Amino acid sequence: MRDTELYRHLLGLVTPWEVERVDLSVEDGRVDVWVKHPKRTRFACPDCERELSVYDHSEERAWRHLDSCAFLTFLHANPPRVSCPEHGVRQVRVPWAEPHSRFTLLFERLAIDVLSACDVNAAAGLLRLSWDEAWHLVDRAVARGLAAKALTAPTHVGVDEKAAGRGQDYITIVSDLDAGTVEFIADERRQASLDGYYAQFTTEQLADIEAVAMDMWEPFAASTRAHLDDADSKIVFDRYHLMGYLTGAVDTVRKQENRALSATGDKSLAGSKYLWLYSYENLPAKHTDRFTVLRSGDLKTARAWAIKESLRHFWSYKRRGWAAKHFKHWYFWATHSRLKPIIDAAKTLKRHEAGLLSYFAHPITNECASYCTSL
Ligand SMILES: [Zn+2]
């Protein structure tokens, strides 16, 4: 296969477009591919689809495409223009990109997937984009996706916040949990950030939302209460966020205890941080022996960890009543642990108990959050 033909396949080019030339620069780690159409190809007016002959060509443009073998890849073309009797001289649509985008559709698709799985800084790093490019690319792609489909509210909504880095601390990401699609992105994680999402819908459309998974973050709950009827039965606090919260409390206990032990020359907990962060079945085998000794001793950290692990069983119940009973026992244990970080965390969960228990009416979780927690 000639390399131009190979690149036509790699780029997913459709007729009439074909590869004219490929430049590979090993020093710069990039591939530049020029594409063209055969002479006398006719193109559709972007406004009325009328087929017309080429009037002239716009200046050469470049689109960032998916990397080829780790080489940054750019597609170049001179977009043709047609002269429509009705709409005048117009640049035709190219099949690989949206108008005004500097990225191909395939690259944008990848970027959205990467961003739903990590924060903007990490996504920008992986995609080799600047932070601004990553952010604007996703922002535009979400807006376009919404414009393209009829507006309906998802049945199960996921609300998540992500560390954004630079300038702003967080962004709010709303997804359709059933379709697994990002539906809305807003700056920061204020009540107004989520209000913008709900505000697009009519009252009738909002009534289609059965449940919303979220972190125990008051502005998100407040926004949801302001827009949905009977919101408290629909808010489901996300189990991954809740477990992350408890894991944080265990880590605080470990830090305090390690400091106290180290002062007396006891190194039992030194270098054990990550052992306590795993859930038990995910603990790598090479750590099993040390961890078995640690957790069976009378360390405060071991007690905190056992309380955290017990909370996980809450979500394995089939019936709300049994889960409620488990939570009651768990809460008693946690609040009598004499471990302040655990007591504080348990009290926070107790204040949000309704949103924990609504999981049994709507067993949903933020998939995105589950992915991030497993990292
Ligand atoms: Zn036209």
Side-chain angles (χ1 to χ4, degrees):
M1 200 184 277
R2 284 159 56 230
D3 63 351
T4 54
E5 186 64 6
L6 172 66
Y7 271 96
R8 195 172 73 83
H9 283 279
L10 286 178
L11 294 164
L13 287 181
V14 293
T15 42
W17 292 95
E18 51 198 39
V19 173
E20 179 183 24
R21 178 159 72 90
V22 180
D23 261 15
L24 170 69
S25 167
V26 176
E27 311 85 77
D28 299 336
R30 66 182 271 167
V31 182
D32 288 275
V33 181
W34 280 264
V35 304
K36 61 165 189 174
H37 61 84
K39 283 195 170 55
R40 284 189 284 282
T41 306
R42 292 167 74 83
F43 288 93
C45 164
D47 292 324
C48 65
E49 303 292 324
R50 189 190 313 224
E51 292 241 327
L52 298 156
S53 58
V54 173
Y55 172 76
D56 65 358
H57 288 86
S58 303
E59 281 192 12
E60 182 180 305
R61 294 191 49 202
W63 293 265
R64 170 86 187 273
H65 187 61
L66 300 175
D67 293 358
S68 13
C69 303
F71 284 84
L72 289 174
T73 302
F74 293 86
L75 183 67
H76 301 257
N78 294 85
R81 299 200 305 165
V82 291
S83 179
C84 176
E86 193 178 339
H87 299 101
V89 176
R90 305 280 282 115
Q91 185 174 307
V92 310
R93 277 195 210 97
V94 292
W96 56 80
E98 292 283 345
H100 310 300
S101 178
R102 294 185 293 119
F103 305 94
T104 67
L105 290 165
L106 287 173
F107 186 87
E108 293 196 343
R109 184 69 255 161
L110 172 74
I112 300 291
D113 289 346
V114 171
L115 190 103
S116 359
C118 37
D119 64 49
V120 179
N121 276 336
L126 284 168
L127 295 164
R128 293 192 279 175
L129 294 170
S130 72
W131 192 95
D132 287 316
E133 285 175 322
W135 167 246
H136 288 296
L137 188 156
V138 168
D139 202 24
R140 278 201 323 267
V142 170
R144 271 203 307 274
L146 286 175
K149 61 184 166 191
L151 192 62
T152 53
T155 311
H156 298 119
V157 176
V159 183
D160 206 358
E161 78 270 355
K162 283 182 185 297
R166 280 211 1 208
Q168 59 194 132
D169 292 337
Y170 285 94
I171 56 173
T172 298
I173 297 186
V174 184
S175 32
D176 176 338
L177 292 179
D178 300 312
T181 49
V182 175
E183 299 285 296
F184 183 82
I185 297 183
D187 289 331
E188 307 185 62
R189 51 167 182 169
R190 290 173 295 125
Q191 181 170 343
S193 315
L194 185 54
D195 285 345
Y197 173 69
Y198 290 126
Q200 334 167 66
F201 300 111
T202 63
T203 313
E204 291 73 38
Q205 287 170 328
L206 287 173
D208 292 336
I209 299 179
E210 288 178 13
V212 186
M214 65 175 72
D215 191 4
M216 295 180 295
W217 179 244
E218 194 45 43
F220 289 162
S223 172
T224 303
R225 286 192 197 102
H227 291 91
L228 302 190
D229 288 338
D230 195 18
D232 283 303
S233 74
K234 296 175 183 169
I235 292 174
V236 180
F237 292 119
D238 189 79
R239 60 188 283 189
Y240 293 100
H241 280 115
L242 293 166
M243 285 310 296
Y245 195 66
L246 257 290
T247 302
V250 173
D251 197 47
T252 306
V253 172
R254 180 199 57 82
K255 266 187 251 167
Q256 292 169 351
E257 189 173 31
N258 183 41
R259 209 175 299 133
L261 290 176
S262 297
T264 68
D266 183 337
K267 297 275 180 234
S268 313
L269 280 171
S272 71
K273 173 172 180 174
Y274 292 98
L275 302 185
W276 305 103
L277 302 184
Y278 289 107
S279 56
Y280 190 52
E281 64 269 20
N282 291 337
L283 183 74
K286 63 179 175 188
H287 299 310
T288 315
D289 291 347
R290 182 176 183 209
F291 193 64
T292 305
V293 174
L294 280 176
R295 66 185 275 252
S296 55
D298 57 2
L299 290 164
K300 290 175 180 167
T301 310
R303 196 143 36 89
W305 179 85
I307 292 169
K308 184 248 317 182
E309 284 296 290
S310 169
L311 181 67
R312 284 205 296 138
H313 300 304
F314 174 81
W315 290 278
S316 60
Y317 286 95
K318 297 254 182 303
R319 303 173 80 112
R320 186 182 192 277
W322 287 103
K325 195 171 277 184
H326 178 85
F327 185 74
K328 193 175 167 203
H329 291 147
W330 179 85
Y331 181 73
F332 183 85
W333 185 23
T335 48
H336 289 74
S337 65
R338 302 187 309 280
L339 304 168
K340 186 159 188 313
I342 295 291
I343 295 170
D344 291 346
K347 286 184 172 166
T348 301
L349 262 57
K350 180 74 179 166
R351 280 200 302 280
H352 295 85
E353 190 176 354
L356 267 75
L357 287 167
S358 54
Y359 176 82
F360 297 93
H362 311 287
I364 54 171
T365 53
N366 237 319
E367 275 184 46
C368 188
S370 73
Y371 181 90
C372 296
T373 315
S374 72
L375 288 176

